[in-house]
Structures are given as structure tokens and as C-alpha cells.
Amino acid sequence: MGMLRGTATALMALGGVFLGLVGPGMPVAPAAPTCTITFVGPPTGGPGDWGTAANWNPARVPLATDDVCIPAGRTVIHSSGTVPVLSIQSLGDLQLTGGTLTLTRTSDDSPITKLEMSGGTLAGAARVVIGSSMTWSGNALMTGVGTTAVAAGATLTQSGNVSLQNGRMLEIGGTLDNTVDATLGTGGTAPLIHVLAGGVLKKSGGSVSSRVDPQLQNDGGVQASSGTLQLDGGSSSGTGSFGATPATGTVALTGGTFTLTGGAKFLGSVSLSGATVQVAQLATLTLSGSNTMSGGTLGGTGTVSIPSGTLIWAGGTMDGAGPTALDAGATIKQTGGVTIQNSRLLQIGGTFDDTVDATLGTGGMTPHIDVLSTGVFKKSGGSVSSRVDPPLQNDGAVQASTGTLQLDGGSSAGAGSFGGAQGGTVAFTGSTFNLSDGAKFLGSVSLSGATVQVAAGGTLT
């Protein structure tokens, strides 16, 4: 039986099946392998077993040399055994409940309109294209160096623990929807999940957490509307967005190293709690909405830009030679001990607010804090003291409304103001501060261990 693709309609004809697009927006394939065996189903209609010879034309089970066709309206159940075939072209419903189904042809895609995996293994080097829907549960496994591609407009629904292994690529051009608290595991040679531009990986169900263990290259969107979606595998690149505003769930980067390239965004409800996020050279990662950093590392040689919203910084490290640029109107709230190191520049055009008694530490090659003319660095919480170890150039304002804000790292210049009538103390406790013309001590300033040098011809008021 022959097969031809090129329209969106499936027609039965004598000796042939004409197959159309397997997903919205997909290009017309130039040709398809000739069907060598076609599922005709049991005489009574309804679902039929893959392993029953009478369900096929010719009347035998498919062989390793077969290109298999499943017409529209037919349901095939694969429940046991290890079955290799060249390819599958299906307009019907293929249910994999057990056993291993291996597809080996690499010269042509295997388009499958509907796939239900509640067990068993999908394997092989072929590219399987899901045209409409796929369900995935029951510890079902996709393995081997082939690709499972969810076409634009199609949805893969994960409703249980599953696994991707041994070099398998899961390509999301449509939607991968995690609807429960479940793990997408990994094993063997590292597999990859690639969310394409226009694709979405999301958690829409389960109030606790789901975990994604494989590497995830995100060039589309990763979102959570329920519970926490943990990303634990890192990535080698990615230009897509994480989180959303408003959102009722959290996208958490919990492990691995995520290298992000130009255009990547944290849109809100993103948590960095254990992973390393590296922004590539000349690239920019943009943060907006409300995001948190409680551990891990944010850095690289590219730029972390915060033009709006709030970053709650409770722990972890900003690292590497790139800048973190906090624009006017945006806020970083420090709620625990944190570190900047290895030449990192923290550029404050908005507000940096230390809300507890905590240290902003330093390490490696000297980092730098630059408070711009529009910026404010302040201590608003904690009744004892907070300490700032890196050099701090103040061309804006440094204030304390409670306790003591200790400046311990010195500076090479600065024309801004220190202190004021806020209620706390700004204390110069270590190193040398070179101040430029126009610098001011506005009250509640303590010089207790540092050296303050006023530039030649300049005035400190």
C-alpha cells in the first residue's frame, strides 16, 4: 500500500493512503516510505493488538524491514515484546502500554497523529513527529539517539513519572504539559530536551513539585502555574523565557549549569536555588517581575539586566566579569548573607535594600559596587549591623534607617551622599575611600577605622 503526504486530509483509496500534515504549520513532506504493512484491525472494530497477525494486511506481524501504516479511525495496542520496524505512519491512535517499540529509519520521519504511552519503551534512531497529542505516564521510557518531536500546535501531556535516556532528543515545538507532581528522569548518555521558539514546557498541575533531570535548552518558554517546576539538568545554550507574571507557580533552577544566550529572560516567579546561571559573552539576561535567588551562582561575562521588578537575594553568589545592572525603578532586596566575586560589577541605578543584619561578601579577583546618580544603597532592616566588603563607589546615596551599615571595602572615587536623618548609622570601617568633589556626609555617619581621602580641589561637605 502506498502513502503520499501533502494535504490536510486523509483519504482511503484502492491500494493507497494519502496523508497530510502531521501538525499545524509543518511543511509538506516531499515523499513518504511505501507502506509494506497496514493495520486493518479486528473484524469487530475497536482496538486491536499489535501482536495479532490477523489485524494486519498482509496477515502477519510487522517485521524489522517494514514501514508500518495505521489509518485514521484505527487503534493499535502494543503491550509486550521487543519489536523493531523501519517507520510508522499513523493517522490513528497508537497505544504503547508495554514492551519495546524500536523505529530505525533515519531517512524519513515517522509521523504519528496520536500516541499514548502508559508503559513500555519507545526506542531507536528515527525521528518520531507527534502531530496532535501524546500522553506519557507509567514510568514509560524514551531512549536511543532518535528524536521525539512535538509539532507546533500539538501537546504532550505528562501525568506520571517518566524517563528520557541514552542520547534521546525531546523537541518541543508545541507544548509539554506536566499535570501532576512527577519527575522527568534521565539515564545513560545525556539526553536533551529542546524547547523551540514558540514551544512551551509548563507545569499546570500538582501543588508540590515536579523535577526535570535532563539538560534543557530553552528557546521558547518554561512556565509553572501550579507548584514548583525544578530544572536540574542545566543547558549549553538558550534564548527563551522562564517564568511569567502573574504566575501561581515557580520555575526553580536547582542544579546543573545553565548557559544562557542573548534574549533570555526571567519574567517573574523564577527561583535560583542551586544551579549556576552563566550569561554568555555579549549576551544579556533580562529579569523582570519578582524573582528570587537563595543559592547557586549568577554570573558569566555577559550582562544581567534588571530594568524593573524585584530580585530577592537571600543567598548565593554573583560571579564573573560581566555586570549586574539594576535600573532606576527596580529593586534588589538582600535578605541574607550573599557574595559578589571575581571582578563582578554590581551597578545600582535603582535601589539596593539590605533588609536584615547580613554581610555582602567578596572573593577572588576584586569585584565592585557602583551606586549611580539615580541609585540608593540602604539598610532598612536588622537592628545590629550589616557589612559591605567589596569596594563601593557612591555617586548616588548610601543610607541606613536602622542599625549600622558598615562600609569596609573602600573606593576609588565617588560624589554621592552618605547618611541622613533616616535613623541608622553609615559607618566607614575599613580600607581607603577616595571621594570626589560634591560628596556629602548628611548626618549619622561614623568614621571608625577607614581612611577618607578628598580629591585635590574637591570638597566633602
Side-chain angles (χ1 to χ4, degrees), residues 158-160 177-183 202-211 223-230 248-250:
Q158 181 188 349
S159 57
D177 187 5
N178 183 303
T179 62
V180 295
D181 293 320
T183 297
K202 66 180 182 180
K203 176 175 171 62
S204 67
S207 60
V208 186
S209 65
S210 295
R211 194 178 75 239
Q223 306 165 359
S225 57
S226 179
T228 299
L229 178 60
Q230 299 178 359
T248 52
T250 299

Side-chain angles (χ1 to χ4, degrees), residues 39 47-52 55-56 61-62 68 70 75-85 88 93-103 115-123:
F39 186 81
D49 182 64
W50 179 289
T52 300
N55 288 335
W56 298 94
V61 296
V68 176
I70 303 171
T75 298
V76 185
I77 300 173
H78 185 290
S79 59
S80 63
T82 299
V83 178
V85 296
I88 297 176
D93 181 4
L94 175 59
Q95 298 180 8
L96 180 55
T97 62
T100 299
L101 182 57
T102 302
L103 283 69
L115 175 63
E116 300 178 65
M117 284 188 69
S118 58
T121 300
L122 180 65

Side-chain angles (χ1 to χ4, degrees), residues 2-358:
M3 180 172 285
L4 175 67
R5 287 181 284 177
T7 74
T9 305
L11 299 172
M12 290 297 296
L14 290 174
V17 175
F18 297 88
L19 263 188
L21 302 178
V22 295
M26 293 188 65
V28 175
T34 300
C35 298
T36 57
I37 189 168
T38 299
F39 186 81
V40 293
T44 57
D49 182 64
W50 179 289
T52 300
N55 288 335
W56 298 94
N57 181 19
R60 57 174 175 79
V61 296
L63 305 174
T65 54
D66 277 324
D67 289 294
V68 176
C69 287
I70 303 171
R74 300 293 186 180
T75 298
V76 185
I77 300 173
H78 185 290
S79 59
S80 63
T82 299
V83 178
V85 296
L86 289 176
S87 70
I88 297 176
Q89 300 163 63
S90 174
L91 284 174
D93 181 4
L94 175 59
Q95 298 180 8
L96 180 55
T97 62
T100 299
L101 182 57
T102 302
L103 283 69
T104 61
R105 183 184 288 279
T106 58
S107 57
D108 298 276
D109 291 350
S110 284
I112 298 176
T113 298
K114 183 178 181 181
L115 175 63
E116 300 178 65
M117 284 188 69
S118 58
T121 300
L122 180 65
R127 178 181 172 86
V128 176
V129 181
I130 305 302
S132 180
S133 67
M134 176 178 170
T135 56
W136 196 13
S137 63
N139 294 303
L141 168 67
M142 290 193 279
T143 187
V145 296
T147 297
T148 301
V150 181
T155 297
L156 191 168
T157 301
Q158 181 188 349
S159 57
N161 293 330
V162 295
S163 189
L164 192 72
Q165 298 184 5
N166 294 319
R168 192 75 180 181
M169 167 87 79
L170 176 56
E171 185 180 278
I172 309 298
T175 300
L176 193 164
D177 187 5
N178 183 303
T179 62
V180 295
D181 293 320
T183 297
L184 201 169
T186 185
T189 304
L192 176 66
I193 301 172
H194 186 190
V195 183
L196 304 180
V200 176
L201 189 159
K202 66 180 182 180
K203 176 175 171 62
S204 67
S207 60
V208 186
S209 65
S210 295
R211 194 178 75 239
V212 178
D213 289 341
Q215 285 194 12
L216 188 149
Q217 179 179 337
N218 175 28
D219 294 304
V222 176
Q223 306 165 359
S225 57
S226 179
T228 299
L229 178 60
Q230 299 178 359
L231 308 181
D232 209 46
S235 68
S236 59
S237 65
T239 63
S241 65
F242 298 81
T245 299
T248 52
T250 299
V251 175
L253 283 70
T254 53
T257 296
F258 291 81
T259 299
L260 302 182
T261 42
K265 297 178 177 66
F266 290 177
L267 298 178
S269 298
V270 176
S271 167
L272 175 58
S273 57
T276 295
V277 173
Q278 294 278 3
V279 184
Q281 189 171 11
L282 302 180
T284 298
L285 167 65
T286 302
L287 276 60
S288 59
S290 179
N291 301 289
T292 64
M293 181 176 175
S294 59
T297 301
L298 177 63
T301 55
T303 298
V304 176
S305 174
I306 310 177
S308 62
T310 300
L311 174 64
I312 299 172
W313 193 9
T317 300
M318 293 190 190
D319 181 87
T324 299
L326 180 70
D327 291 354
T331 300
I332 293 177
K333 288 187 177 182
Q334 182 186 352
T335 61
V338 299
T339 301
I340 63 171
Q341 63 185 25
N342 293 322
S343 303
R344 194 73 186 174
L345 172 61
L346 176 56
Q347 193 174 64
I348 300 170
T351 300
F352 186 103
D353 187 3
D354 183 338
T355 64
V356 295
D357 293 320

